[in-house]
Amino acid sequence: MTPAENYVVRAATTADIRPIAELIRPLVDARILLGKDLVVLFESVQEFTVAVNDAGAVVGCGALHVFWEDLGEIRTLSVDPDHKDKGVGHALLEELESQARHLGLTKLFCLTFEVGFFSAHGFHTQQVVDVAPEVYAEMVRSPDEGLAEFLDLARVKPNTLGNSRMVKTL
């Protein structure tokens, strides 16, 4: 990205889903992000926020997924390598946090290899799942893989080796 190039952060549309899939493909191939079928990306379009450059290309994306009345996950935060260190990731995360606050969430979770980035934005590593037993009993019934990661369930261990569980109180 040249200094003169700008980008806009906005809600994703269905037209953005294929570019999002292409953007995250290298990270899925490298086992940094969990892969999602195209149909799953389309089903969750309303969770995604994108950064779009002057040419209309998606240069970054991220999603906010609600787990519980006060808890959500930052998912699939990715920036095109040519646009890293230009504030795109920061702008996306700020927007996702704003959406979380608007929804009434007070805590965000992410599972990431990018500990430095998330630490710089107020997240901290957390080894122990911090939810009330009755909430845990409800959450464990969800088929959502991200929630299973948050709960540290054994069935997701092969997908999460090396990741750090990070949380932030809003």
Side-chain angles (χ1 to χ4, degrees), residues 86-148:
K86 307 291 184 187
V88 175
H90 173 79
L92 285 164
L93 186 56
E94 272 193 343
E95 174 58 26
L96 294 168
E97 288 182 8
S98 175
Q99 292 172 20
R101 285 184 189 92
H102 176 76
L103 290 171
L105 303 180
T106 59
K107 188 184 290 187
L108 290 175
F109 151 79
C110 68
L111 193 66
T112 185
F113 288 102
E114 299 293 337
V115 173
F117 173 82
F118 282 98
S119 292
H121 290 87
F123 285 75
H124 65 278
T125 56
Q126 181 174 335
Q127 301 303 319
V128 179
V129 175
D130 184 22
V131 295
E134 62 274 8
V135 173
Y136 183 93
E138 288 289 329
M139 288 179 158
V140 78
R141 295 168 35 185
S142 172
D144 184 87
E145 291 297 305
L147 187 51

